[in-house]
Amino acid sequence: MKKNILLMVFIISISSILFACQSKGITTEISANPTAKSENDKRLSIKNDFKRISISKTNGVNEITFDDKDTLKAFQVIFSSAVREPGIVDMAAPEFYMDVVYDKDNQQSLYLWIGEKGQRSTFMKTEDTNTIYTVSNDMTDKLIELVESRFN
């Protein structure tokens, strides 16, 4: 009787191990393609064909609009350097509200927190408030020059 129980436990253990190994192999094959996609998802996806940027401290009130080519080019550089930070975040209320306008029917809204000189700054898509994108200290200095100087 003991031998039968031990034999049964042994067979179940071996079967479980084999099944686990087989399942892991299948999972690896399936997840190979999403890994390539996740590399692209580490950047802030803002299309470069925007026509203007509107920024306000209170959503929609006292907006400052940027529409000259040099400033828009500077924002393109800033956006392209923004990198997704891992994990889920819980942020304080945004310092600035930003609308990236492509045409009258198409725009993307972002929240913006500008760091102090020499610190990082943070962007967040309004439709994904669990994910942030940060830019380098140099880009923060550029944001201070472009944005904060106009609100002070």
Side-chain angles (χ1 to χ4, degrees), residues 2-101:
K2 271 186 170 180
K3 287 183 182 180
N4 288 340
I5 293 174
L6 287 175
L7 182 61
M8 209 148 170
V9 169
F10 177 75
I11 291 173
I12 291 172
S13 298
I14 295 296
S15 297
S16 297
I17 291 171
L18 291 174
F19 181 76
C21 291
Q22 182 180 6
S23 295
K24 191 173 186 178
I26 292 170
T27 302
T28 303
E29 284 182 65
I30 293 171
S31 67
N33 287 337
T35 303
K37 185 178 182 229
S38 69
E39 291 297 318
N40 295 333
D41 291 342
K42 290 183 179 179
R43 295 277 179 192
L44 178 61
S45 58
I46 302 290
K47 294 181 241 166
N48 286 335
D49 61 340
F50 51 87
K51 304 292 185 246
R52 74 174 189 271
I53 294 178
S54 297
I55 300 177
S56 62
K57 279 201 169 203
T58 306
N59 199 5
V61 179
N62 297 327
E63 282 185 344
I64 295 176
T65 301
F66 302 93
D67 56 6
D68 64 283
K69 288 182 181 182
D70 291 337
T71 304
L72 295 179
K73 183 69 175 168
F75 274 108
Q76 285 176 349
V77 171
I78 292 168
F79 291 147
S80 68
S81 72
V83 178
R84 180 182 179 161
E85 294 296 326
I88 296 175
V89 297
D90 183 22
M91 300 287 287
E95 183 180 6
F96 295 99
Y97 298 86
M98 175 183 282
D99 289 319
V100 180
V101 181

Side-chain angles (χ1 to χ4, degrees), residues 90-127:
D90 183 22
M91 300 287 287
E95 183 180 6
F96 295 99
Y97 298 86
M98 175 183 282
D99 289 319
V100 180
V101 181
Y102 300 100
D103 57 45
K104 79 175 195 176
D105 297 325
N106 191 10
Q107 70 180 27
Q108 185 169 4
S109 297
L110 302 167
Y111 299 130
L112 170 62
W113 292 263
I114 299 178
E116 300 292 323
K117 270 196 173 289
Q119 295 179 342
R120 293 181 166 269
S121 289
T122 304
F123 289 98
M124 177 187 286
K125 295 178 182 180
T126 58
E127 70 272 7

